Amino acid sequence: VAASAALLGGGAVLTALVHVPRSRAVVQRLDDRWYALVQRTRTPPHTAAARTLDVAFGTTVDWTVRALVTADLLRRRRWRALAGWAGTVVLGEVSVGPLKAAVDRIRPPEPLTRTSMMSYPSGHALAAATTAPGIVLALLPPGPQRRRGLAVAIPLAWVTALSRTSLNAHWLSDVVGGAALGTGYALVAPRLAHLGDRNHRADPDGYRSSRSR
């Protein structure tokens, strides 16, 4: 809960900074420096890795994986976990369009991949940060296995977010804002799904009740 609050709060602050013209100019100077660094240090292996992540967390693969996770939760009748998973996906999807329209930011020049809509926040970053940890929270029981899964999923999502700058698809602040919001959604939505559940502390995702059935 604390981590999700910090991430969502940080994402909200960064969104405000990018949205307000005076503070956007300050953020843009930092983004320009990062953009120049990426151009100087780009190598073929870096570009190849970024293109791989571009496809792996692209719309087609991402929604296919989301559909498979949803089908598995339905099959196992894990309704509380399904509610948390669905909430994670919905929060990410319903927020990205309005935020892009409100901030109305132009993308970096010379993109190396196909882009659409405005730049802030990065939809790729937000989707990766909701999907990767969201899958872990939906499918793995509380305990060491889940913690290990999150230790892999969250860094993977953030590396994917950062790779968007390697393809000149987004400014650095675009991907940081998107990843912060997406990770925050992934961590908070399962908790919101269990508000008022008397058994939440003992069995936060319905594993005991699923096994009993």
Side-chain angles (χ1 to χ4, degrees), residues 22-35 105:
R22 182 172 296 181
S23 55
R24 180 188 292 197
V26 176
V27 176
Q28 188 63 57
R29 285 197 291 270
L30 298 175
D31 285 334
D32 289 341
R33 292 179 182 179
W34 181 264
Y35 179 85
R105 192 185 198 188

Side-chain angles (χ1 to χ4, degrees), residues 14-21 24 94-106 117-121:
L14 183 54
T15 301
L17 290 174
V18 176
H19 181 58
V20 176
R24 180 188 292 197
V94 301
S95 66
V96 65
L99 285 174
K100 282 180 177 289
V103 176
D104 195 27
R105 192 185 198 188
I106 301 298
M117 301 179 68
M118 304 309 288
S119 193
Y120 186 95

